[in-house]
Amino acid sequence: MREKDIYARARKTMVETQLIPRGIKDRRVISAMLKVPRHLFVDEALRAQAYSDYPLPIGEGQTISQPFMVAFMTEALKLEGTEKVLEIGTGSGYQTAILAELAEMVYSVERIPSIADRARKTLDSLGYSNIAIRIGDGTLGWEEFAPFDAILVTAGAPDIPPPYMEQLAEGGRLVIPVGGEFVQELVRLTKKKERIVRENLGGCRFVKLIGRYGWQED
Ligand code: SAH
């Protein structure tokens, strides 16, 4: 079997054993998870593990999130295809690619330059033209392109950074892990006419969101 087909088969197994049994339903999310070549977002030595049910190291003490967590957070954003999305914590760029499959435009901020550069290269090589990546402190959001229909934060914050609610469009969804340094609660905030609806989606474990409205650098 060709390498490409082996990985396509691994993606199908990932969807059938890790995502659907745990409740992922959005057809578009499932299609994106079947399509995006996750193995190209990790080091060559880790490719065989790319579709396994856990996060993997991507260097600089950071990780590519577990496939289920990527699918779960993406589904929580309720994307239909026309959205402008802000992502904080580009990391490998894998989640960025999934968002780019499901929204009109993705703006992604990463604080570590070497990580951002690698993600940019991977995403360019795959031909994505609806992604903009900026190096900087993502706890400030990306004011220039606000408001956003959806904001996804893929690092854990002690509290909700205030710029996110300001940069969220009316009706927009913010999904963010909030809590301690080691475990957090995945929270969805929806901006609805003068009020904010808050839902807890479950426990999770992310690396730290480091910046002005996040954790201080070690
Ligand atoms: N979605 C990514 C997850 C990467 S881990 C993936 O699946 O590959 C979280 C990332 O958030 C790390 O790359 C880390 O450097 C980045 N990060 C942490 N604090 C940040 C901040 N204030 N602004 C931007 N990126 C940040």
Side-chain angles (χ1 to χ4, degrees), residues 8-25:
R9 201 158 77 169
R11 277 196 293 283
K12 192 159 177 279
T13 303
M14 171 187 81
V15 166
E16 287 169 357
T17 62
Q18 301 170 32
L19 308 188
I20 292 172
R22 292 189 190 129
I24 302 299
K25 287 194 183 66

Side-chain angles (χ1 to χ4, degrees), residues 58 62-65 70 87-95 109-112 115 136-139 154-155 207-211:
I58 56 168
Q62 309 303 321
T63 54
I64 175 172
S65 304
V70 172
E87 179 195 37
I88 306 302
T90 316
S92 64
Y94 174 66
Q95 170 80 72
V109 185
E110 169 59 52
R111 65 181 281 272
I112 301 176
I115 287 194
D137 178 4
T139 67
T154 68
V207 299
K208 283 195 273 182
L209 181 75
I210 297 172

Side-chain angles (χ1 to χ4, degrees), residues 30-124:
I30 290 170
S31 303
M33 297 294 293
L34 285 171
K35 179 177 172 191
V36 177
R38 180 171 164 96
H39 60 284
L40 299 180
F41 292 84
V42 300
D43 273 358
E44 223 163 324
L46 294 174
R47 276 189 191 162
Q49 294 178 68
Y51 298 99
S52 302
D53 195 13
Y54 43 78
L56 291 169
I58 56 168
E60 309 276 350
Q62 309 303 321
T63 54
I64 175 172
S65 304
Q66 174 199 25
F68 171 71
M69 193 46 75
V70 172
F72 185 69
M73 290 193 299
T74 307
E75 188 171 73
L77 293 174
K78 302 179 182 171
L79 301 174
E80 291 181 345
T82 57
E83 297 85 356
K84 197 158 76 163
V85 180
L86 174 66
E87 179 195 37
I88 306 302
T90 316
S92 64
Y94 174 66
Q95 170 80 72
T96 323
I98 296 287
L99 294 172
E101 293 285 342
L102 299 173
E104 190 168 292
M105 183 70 201
V106 182
Y107 296 89
S108 187
V109 185
E110 169 59 52
R111 65 181 281 272
I112 301 176
S114 60
I115 287 194
D117 291 342
R118 188 143 40 112
R120 214 177 251 146
K121 280 202 190 92
T122 311
L123 293 164
D124 283 349

Side-chain angles (χ1 to χ4, degrees), residues 139 153 155-164 174 176-180 184 189 198 209 213-215:
T139 67
V153 184
D159 289 298
I160 313 255
Y164 298 161
L174 163 65
I176 178 171
V178 183
Q184 305 90 26
L189 297 176
R198 180 184 172 122
L209 181 75
Y213 297 108
W215 297 96

